[in-house]
Amino acid sequence: MITTKQTLARVALALLAVGGVISTLVWAGPLDPPSGAVSSTYKTLSEVEPRIALSSTNTPGDTDSLYKITQPGSYYLTGNITAILGKHGIEIAASGVTIDLNGFDLVGSTAFPDYDGIRTAASSLTNITIRNGSVRNWGGDGIDLGSNAARSGSIERVRASNNAGIGIRAGHACTLTDCSALLNAGNGFNTGDLCTLLNCCAHYNDDYGIRTGSNCTILNCSAKSSGLAGFVIDDGSTLSNCSSTTNSGAGFIIEWSSTLTNCSSYSNSSTGFDVGFACNLSNCSAYANLQSGFYASAACTLTNCTSIANSANGIYANGGSSVIDCTVSTNFADGIVCDWGCIVRGNTCSDNGNGGVNANIHATGSDNRIESNNCINADRGIDVDSAGNIIIKNTCSGNATNWDVVAGNTILVVQGSSAGAVLGNTGGTAPGSTDPNANFTY
C-alpha cells in the first residue's frame, strides 16, 4: 500500500524533473531567428579556389597554342598537357601572371619542332611566375621566358628534360629556384642579366649546362656532363658553392670582374676554371681536368685554391694577378705559371711537371714577386726565364734542379744547414743566413 508520504515524495521528484527541463529550455536561448535577411555561412567556389583553372573554357588557345593567358591573375593546371602538332603548350600574353603546374606534366613531342612547353607571346612582359611541375620532350624550349625579353620573372621547382631546345630560358632580373634541366639538346639553363639561380642542377645537356648574362648570382648549383662547358657566366657575376663535373668543355668560363667562392671543377675535358680580367677566386678547387686547373686573365686574385692532377698547368696567372696560399700538386706541366707583374706568395707546390722539364713555379716575364713558397719534388723548383723579378723567402727541396733563375733578378739562395737531433727547449743550427729575405735549399 502506498502511503501519503510516498505519494508526496513522487510528486516532488516529478516537479524537480519538469523544472530541470524548463531551466534547460530557458538557457538554450530563443527559438525564433533574428530579424532581417538570413545569410549563408558557406563559402562560394571562387572563395574556396580563387585561382583560375587552365582550360579550353577559361583560357582557350589560338592557332599556335593549346592554352593562352591574356589577363593577369593566378592560374593552375588540373591535369597533364599533351602536345598537339603546331601548338605550344601554354602561351602567356599578359604581365602579372602566376601559373601553378600543380605537380602535373607538360609533355611535348620532338617531332613538332620549335614549339615550347610554356612561352611568352608578347614582348617585355613582367612579373611572371611558374612553379611546381615538369616540362619535357618539346620540340623547342621547355620554358621560354627569354626570347621576348620577359623581366622580373620567377621559376620555382620545375623540371625540364629531353627538350629539343633549351631546358629553361629566362629573361632579365629573373629568379630560378630548385629547378633541374636534364638531357636537353640546347643549354640546360639560359638567362639574361641580373638573374639569380639557387639550388639548380643542369645534367647531360648537349650544349652549356648553365649560361647567364651579366651581374648574376649563382648559388649551390651544379653542371654535369654537358656537351660544352658546364658554366658560362657573363661579367660582374657571383658564384658560390657551385660544382662542374665531367663536362666536354671547361668547367667554368667566367667573364670579367666576377667572384667565385667554394666552387669545384672536376674531370672536365678542358680547363677547370677559365676566368676573365679582374676576377676573384677563393677556396676553389680544380682536380683532374684535361687542361689547366685554373687559367686567370690579367689582374685576377686566387686565394686558398687547390689545383691537383690536372693535365696541363695547375695555375696559369696572367699579368698583374696574385696567387696566394694555394696548394698545387701533381699537375702534368708547371704548378704555377706567372706572366708579368704577379704576386706568387705562400703557396705549397709539390710533384708538378710529370710531363717532362717543368717547374713547381715558373715565371716567364718580369716584375713578379715570388715570395714564401715551398716547392718540392719537381724537375725544377723555381724557374725564372726573365730578368727584373724579386724572389725571396722561398724554400726548395727534392727537385731535380731546385733553382733555375737567369741573371738580372733579385735573389739570394742559401743552402740550409742541417741540425742534429733536438730534444727539449734548445738546440739546432742557424739555417745559414741572417738575411731575412734569403731563399733556402734544404
Side-chain angles (χ1 to χ4, degrees), residues 172 191-195 211-218 231-239 253-260 274-280 297:
H172 301 306
T191 79
D193 301 335
L194 298 166
C195 288
R211 174 73 174 96
T212 76
S214 62
N215 300 110
C216 291
T217 299
I218 303 100
F231 290 78
V232 180
I233 310 298
D234 218 334
D235 302 344
S237 295
T238 299
L239 294 85
I253 298 176
I254 311 296
E255 297 297 334
W256 292 13
S257 302
S258 294
T259 299
L260 291 82
D274 187 345
V275 299
F277 177 84
C279 287
N280 190 327
S297 296

Side-chain angles (χ1 to χ4, degrees), residues 36-84:
V38 178
S39 60
S40 172
T41 59
Y42 293 99
K43 292 184 178 180
T44 65
L45 180 60
S46 62
E47 290 173 324
V48 173
E49 177 53 88
R51 301 176 301 173
I52 303 166
L54 283 160
S55 68
S56 56
T57 301
N58 297 328
T59 53
D62 56 14
T63 56
D64 68 348
S65 64
L66 288 170
Y67 301 106
K68 189 165 188 175
I69 297 172
T70 59
Q71 296 296 324
S74 182
Y75 298 82
Y76 68 100
L77 275 184
T78 60
N80 297 325
I81 289 178
T82 302
I84 294 176

Side-chain angles (χ1 to χ4, degrees), residues 334 336-338 357-365 370 375 379-386 389 391 396 401-406:
D334 294 319
I336 299 173
V337 180
C338 54
V357 183
N358 297 105
N360 276 315
I361 296 176
H362 186 186
T364 60
I370 302 170
C375 300
D379 186 72
R380 299 279 193 274
I382 293 180
D383 184 1
V384 180
D385 297 341
S386 299
N389 300 282
I391 303 109
C396 286
T401 301
N402 284 315
W403 308 90
D404 186 355
V405 180
V406 301

Side-chain angles (χ1 to χ4, degrees), residues 364-375:
T364 60
S366 61
D367 297 317
N368 296 294
R369 182 183 181 95
I370 302 170
E371 178 181 359
S372 299
N373 304 283
N374 189 42
C375 300

